[in-house]
Amino acid sequence: MTATGVARSAILNEQELWREMVRWSGGLVHEQDGLLFVAGPSSYLRVAIRMDAAVDGVAALRRAGEFFDASEGGHIVLAREPDDTDLARAARDLGYTPAWTERPMALHERPDQSPLTRDIDVRVVSTPEEVLDYGRVVAEANDDPGERERAGLLFHDRTILVPHIAAFLAYLDGAPVSCAMTLVSHGVAGVFYVATVASARRRGLGDALAREAARAGFALGARAAWLGASEMGADLYRRIGFSDLGTTIVEYESPATGTTI
């Protein structure tokens, strides 16, 4: 798969993740005239994504405001720069606040397994109890308020126990401490929710589980893998073999974002 193909597929894969997350939380998915709206039970699961660049940035924000005002208001607009520069500019002009930012990175070959996996308790998430453990790690490990709030709404029952998703947990002394998952669609494996609780960091667990998730994605038929790296995590992923796609994803929070319905 070419770099351009991976970049395009990564966009579609990310959209699929948002659709899935809102389904897991019992929300609504609405697509119309070049825009994707997902509306879940938290302002951090209420997101507008422009799918068609022909939709003007100001018009996209106006429609987002109208859509979400009908169901409590607070929401996020996702902008991928530089393609969505006009959307980002319009968001700032209207008082949206740039919040979570990540750098898309791609991997074109299945990575080697970490030798650490031979010495620690790494499990494929396969039971509702392990799904809950996954959510606990995500909530405890994250400084981002959106991720902490979303965790309990997403990881419950059998939400990630489906054929196109593979998720992994590492346990130390019987307690879940690190996690990573992959969702495969559009020919690529998105590696998401890589997290390690503070007490278990600097042991290589994030590297090991990110590798496991990427390897599983290739095994499920993906021709490339991708992820959105924070500034702090980018070097870790480069060591695995990921390289920058040359874009930045920014979550712009509306002035009302931050409250739970």
Side-chain angles (χ1 to χ4, degrees):
M1 182 178 283
T2 66
T4 301
V6 174
R8 176 57 181 158
S9 292
I11 291 171
L12 297 172
N13 181 260
E14 180 187 35
Q15 292 170 4
E16 195 59 33
L17 174 71
W18 280 107
R19 294 184 186 98
E20 289 279 19
M21 291 196 300
V22 168
R23 293 183 190 115
W24 300 340
S25 68
L28 168 73
V29 178
H30 179 78
E31 299 178 41
Q32 185 176 19
D33 298 332
L35 295 181
L36 166 64
F37 300 108
V38 296
S42 159
S43 56
Y44 295 107
L45 282 167
R46 303 159 60 74
V47 181
I49 301 173
R50 183 170 66 177
M51 299 186 296
D52 184 351
V55 178
D56 175 73
V58 173
L61 287 163
R62 174 183 54 77
R63 288 172 55 193
E66 291 171 353
F67 180 85
F68 290 114
D69 279 348
S71 52
E72 304 299 330
H75 59 278
I76 289 168
V77 172
L78 213 64
R80 184 181 294 263
E81 300 186 49
D83 293 346
D84 290 333
T85 298
D86 65 314
L87 181 63
R89 184 187 309 114
R92 291 191 296 269
D93 289 346
L94 289 171
Y96 285 71
T97 304
W100 177 255
T101 301
E102 62 186 28
R103 176 184 301 165
M105 305 179 76
L107 179 69
H108 295 272
E109 295 181 355
R110 189 183 189 195
D112 293 333
Q113 191 172 41
S114 168
L116 187 64
T117 56
R118 296 193 294 267
D119 303 318
I120 57 174
D121 181 8
V122 176
R123 306 178 193 176
V124 178
V125 175
S126 59
T127 68
E129 292 75 21
E130 289 170 343
V131 175
L132 288 174
D133 281 348
Y134 198 105
R136 292 187 186 102
V137 173
V138 171
E140 183 179 343
N142 266 286
D143 295 327
D144 176 49
E147 296 293 17
R148 291 199 303 269
E149 186 170 311
R150 283 190 287 246
L153 298 169
L154 303 181
F155 302 109
H156 57 86
D157 300 306
R158 304 183 65 84
T159 51
I160 55 175
L161 304 182
V162 290
H164 61 294
I165 292 175
F168 300 85
L169 279 165
Y171 289 78
L172 292 178
D173 299 323
V177 295
S178 189
C179 64
M181 62 175 275
T182 188
L183 182 153
V184 177
S185 75
H186 302 88
V188 296
V191 176
F192 303 113
Y193 285 103
V194 181
T196 303
V197 302
S199 61
R201 289 173 186 162
R202 301 190 181 281
R203 305 187 189 194
L205 294 175
D207 175 281
L209 291 195
R211 288 174 183 271
E212 289 301 300
R215 287 170 59 83
F218 279 95
L220 287 170
R223 290 174 286 158
W226 83 280
L227 50 74
S230 66
E231 198 65 37
M232 183 174 64
D235 285 343
L236 180 154
Y237 300 123
R238 289 192 187 98
R239 289 194 294 272
I240 294 173
F242 285 88
S243 58
D244 290 71
L245 282 171
T247 57
T248 302
I249 301 171
V250 183
E251 294 184 3
Y252 282 89
E253 297 181 355
S254 73
T257 297
T259 56
T260 304
I261 298 171

